[in-house]
Amino acid sequence: MSLKSERRGIHVDQSELLCKKGCGYYGNPGWQGFCSKCWREEYSKARQRQIQEDWEFAERLQREEEAAYASSQGAPSLTFSKFEEKKTNETKRKVQTVKKFFSPSSRAAPKKDSQEAKSSSPSINRQASLETERASKDFIDFLKSFRKPGQDILKQCRGFIESMQHKKDLGIEEQSEFVQDFYQNMVDRLQTHSSFKGSSERIEKVMDQIENYIMTRLYKNVFCPETTDDEKKDLAVQKRIRALHWVTLEMLCVPVNEEIPEVYELVVKAITAVIEVDSRRVPRDKLTCITKCSKQIFNAIKITKNEPASADDFLPTLIYIVLKANPPRLQSNIQYITRFCNPSRLMTGEDGYYFTNLCCAVAFIEKLDAQSLNLTQEDFDRYMSGQASPKKQDSEEWSPDTCPGLKQMYKNLNLISQLNERQHNILSDAKQLEKDLIDWSEGVTKEVEDIIEKFPLDIKPRGQPVAAIDSDNVENDKLPPPIQPQVFVG
């Protein structure tokens, strides 16, 4: 029997206001009759189902791509068109699914019989799968114009990737040799095709696409593997750079004036570019970031000096940029590029030159000492320990156009440096005072012991009992009587 209540003259069945899930709480009409707790649960379940569908959609596209190329023997262009048509249909179905999920009807009647989707694919894996899918599509689109040679290139790349899956247990250096041998074999094979004979530029473009395709797929297994000490080196370099945060432009003789707004902006762009290296998956893309950083450095030097920069100016500035950026996983990225990049890029061209300078900069930072910065060993140790910092420029020496915030920052740093020095002196004086007190206490104790030893205390034994003072007074009876108190009555 339902309870009745009258509200504003209208009879309302309270059982109809309860949550549809039967939890006993009142539902909200805006949430299709569910209470807030149950609606959050249903929304979470639906969201997990959508994530799982997206993951399955990406995997299905990958399988269809492989099946399409496996069956493409005589008409490659037709196979590509069928593949694109299937992908378009799947994309439309995915959009309709998302719209249906956010429609009121789907929220009103959630399926109770459906099982909760398993969150077995974290977001990072999903992102990696999307990047792999994008690299595969770009590779296929690139090979369309080559027709028969394109089929052979794709077949060789897929066969190599499949063979590398069985070499996961090998050392990273052996895997690197396999990749480098594959690069060389592909160059030799391309040179035998009539489409590529005498065209080194076309071969280089194809090799760039091959590198992008295979290294996107192999990145997760070959970047910073657990069998190496790359991670340990990353932490050591990061800690070293963090300890050298106090190094200034003047110490490195960097010909860059950060007070010029345009130069300061270029320095920030260079720092951003070198940090961006870690976000790339392909060695060629990582080299592109390094090249971009280097060009920003050359532009900053050129604006500062009003003349083209030289190699002697470039390396100290690159060292300064690395110290300010402290890029994540720096050693792992350097090792990854060295092991798996197309060797033609590292041995020739501007990419190889800038990469070599980056390696030199990291080696310099690892071995940097007081002599490298023209400092005394005492000052270098104090700066490294954080007890002091180099004195900054006084506010009176700044140009009128300098940013006020920058001047205030240097002023505050100077005050902090002075406070650190005063604190160091106070601690030294306190330790000296403590030592003086201990020495004084020990000196006083020793003097007392010497006096006692020199003048020992002679205590005589007790003789006969001491008599009263008046015991020998024979005329005791002649003494006057004791004084009695007098009482006056007034």
Side-chain angles (χ1 to χ4, degrees):
M1 181 177 179
S2 62
L3 299 176
K4 299 287 184 177
S5 65
E6 185 172 350
R7 186 177 300 171
R8 296 183 181 178
I10 300 175
H11 291 281
V12 180
D13 190 350
Q14 292 186 356
S15 62
E16 296 179 356
L17 299 177
L18 295 177
C19 178
K20 288 185 178 181
K21 201 171 182 179
C23 62
Y25 292 94
Y26 286 104
N28 191 326
W31 293 332
Q32 302 301 327
F34 290 95
C35 64
S36 60
K37 180 180 179 182
C38 295
W39 167 243
R40 284 194 298 269
E41 294 177 356
E42 294 298 327
Y43 178 83
S44 177
K45 292 179 181 179
R47 184 61 180 165
Q48 292 295 334
R49 285 196 298 272
Q50 183 61 38
I51 293 175
Q52 184 67 19
E53 288 178 2
D54 292 346
W55 176 257
E56 294 174 354
F57 167 68
E59 293 181 344
R60 183 162 57 255
L61 285 179
Q62 186 64 32
R63 291 194 300 268
E64 290 182 358
E65 172 202 339
E66 297 176 357
Y69 262 102
S71 61
S72 60
Q73 298 295 331
S77 59
L78 181 61
T79 305
F80 281 119
S81 62
K82 288 183 178 180
F83 169 74
E84 291 179 349
E85 182 180 356
K86 289 182 180 180
K87 183 175 179 182
T88 303
N89 294 335
E90 290 292 340
T91 305
K92 291 181 179 179
R93 187 197 63 79
K94 176 183 175 184
V95 173
Q96 294 297 331
T97 303
V98 175
K99 290 181 178 179
K100 184 179 179 181
F101 170 73
F102 288 103
S103 62
S105 59
S106 62
R107 292 188 301 226
K111 296 180 180 179
K112 296 183 179 180
D113 298 334
S114 61
Q115 296 180 354
E116 184 175 359
K118 298 180 180 180
S119 58
S120 58
S121 57
S123 59
I124 186 172
N125 293 334
R126 181 165 176 254
Q127 179 67 21
S129 177
L130 293 176
E131 292 184 9
T132 303
E133 176 193 344
R134 189 183 305 110
S136 300
K137 182 181 180 303
D138 294 341
F139 192 51
I140 293 171
D141 294 339
F142 175 77
L143 295 177
K144 282 183 180 181
S145 59
F146 297 102
R147 302 184 68 84
K148 189 64 177 179
Q151 294 183 28
D152 181 62
I153 293 172
L154 183 63
K155 181 180 178 181
Q156 294 296 326
C157 291
R158 285 185 169 172
F160 174 73
I161 292 174
E162 184 177 355
S163 65
M164 286 294 293
Q165 298 298 327
H166 302 287
K167 296 181 175 63
K168 293 181 179 179
D169 298 333
L170 297 179
I172 191 63
E173 299 302 332
E174 295 179 351
Q175 296 185 45
S176 174
E177 292 180 3
F178 279 115
V179 173
Q180 297 297 332
D181 291 342
F182 176 73
Y183 287 152
Q184 186 60 44
N185 293 335
M186 287 303 300
V187 172
D188 296 340
R189 181 179 289 269
L190 291 174
Q191 290 176 350
T192 60
H193 284 286
S194 59
S195 303
F196 301 100
K197 282 186 178 180
S199 179
S200 58
E201 184 178 352
R202 296 188 68 187
I203 293 178
E204 185 178 354
K205 290 182 179 180
V206 173
M207 291 304 301
D208 289 341
Q209 293 296 326
I210 291 175
E211 178 187 342
N212 182 77
Y213 177 68
I214 65 174
M215 293 314 303
T216 301
R217 288 174 170 265
L218 299 177
Y219 175 81
K220 185 171 62 175
N221 297 327
V222 299
F223 181 82
C224 191
E226 297 180 355
T227 56
T228 64
D229 58 349
D230 292 347
E231 185 177 1
K232 183 178 179 181
K233 292 180 179 178
D234 290 335
L235 296 175
V237 172
Q238 192 174 38
K239 183 178 179 181
R240 175 71 173 176
I241 294 177
R242 192 182 296 115
L244 293 170
H245 67 92
W246 47 269
V247 177
T248 62
L249 293 167
E250 293 76 14
M251 293 179 181
L252 295 172
C253 299
V254 176
V256 170
N257 186 5
E258 291 184 332
E259 298 178 19
I260 303 175
E262 188 176 359
V263 173
Y264 180 76
E265 184 178 356
L266 291 172
V267 170
V268 173
K269 289 181 178 179
I271 293 174
T272 304
V274 75
I275 293 176
E276 192 179 358
V277 172
D278 188 60
S279 64
R280 305 299 181 181
R281 297 166 66 90
V282 182
R284 180 171 60 91
D285 295 340
K286 293 180 180 291
L287 285 177
T288 302
C289 293
I290 297 174
T291 301
K292 181 180 177 182
C293 168
S294 302
K295 289 184 176 180
Q296 302 291 355
I297 291 174
F298 273 107
N299 292 334
I301 297 174
K302 182 178 180 180
I303 294 174
T304 302
K305 299 180 64 176
N306 291 325
E307 62 182 15
S310 63
D312 295 335
D313 296 332
F314 170 69
L315 184 57
T317 310
L318 180 60
I319 294 172
Y320 176 76
I321 293 297
V322 173
L323 288 175
K324 293 303 177 184
N326 196 0
R329 301 191 292 187
L330 183 56
Q331 282 289 359
S332 292
N333 283 289
I334 290 176
Q335 293 296 330
Y336 176 71
I337 295 173
T338 305
R339 293 164 181 161
F340 300 104
C341 184
N342 189 348
S344 63
R345 284 193 170 274
L346 293 181
M347 292 185 294
T348 59
E350 61 179 4
D351 290 343
Y353 171 75
Y354 295 139
F355 178 71
T356 302
N357 277 271
L358 178 63
C359 296
C360 294
V362 175
F364 178 85
I365 291 172
E366 291 177 340
K367 298 180 180 180
L368 190 145
D369 55 9
Q371 185 178 1
S372 304
L373 301 175
N374 296 323
L375 296 174
T376 63
Q377 188 62 40
E378 181 182 0
D379 290 340
F380 182 82
D381 294 339
R382 291 177 62 192
Y383 296 156
M384 290 293 292
S385 62
Q387 296 179 357
S389 62
K391 291 184 177 181
K392 304 297 180 182
Q393 191 175 12
D394 295 334
S395 301
E396 292 76 8
E397 301 178 7
W398 292 97
S399 61
D401 299 333
T402 305
C403 176
L406 187 64
K407 293 193 292 185
Q408 184 64 36
M409 181 186 69
Y410 280 119
K411 182 179 179 180
N412 294 339
L413 289 175
N414 192 19
L415 291 176
I416 292 175
S417 176
Q418 295 177 6
L419 290 174
N420 287 334
E421 186 175 359
R422 290 177 59 185
Q423 184 181 12
H424 177 73
N425 295 334
I426 291 173
L427 290 175
S428 300
D429 295 342
K431 291 181 180 179
Q432 184 63 37
L433 178 60
E434 182 181 6
K435 183 177 180 301
D436 294 342
L437 288 175
I438 294 174
D439 295 341
W440 177 79
S441 177
E442 292 177 352
V444 171
T445 302
K446 188 175 183 308
E447 290 181 2
V448 171
E449 291 176 353
D450 293 342
I451 293 174
I452 292 176
E453 183 179 358
K454 186 176 181 180
F455 303 101
L457 182 62
D458 186 13
I459 301 177
K460 297 180 179 180
R462 177 180 294 183
Q464 295 183 356
V466 181
I469 295 178
D470 299 332
S471 59
D472 298 334
N473 192 353
V474 294
E475 297 179 354
N476 190 24
D477 54 343
K478 297 181 179 180
L479 292 174
I483 300 175
Q484 297 294 330
Q486 300 295 324
V487 181
F488 294 93
V489 179

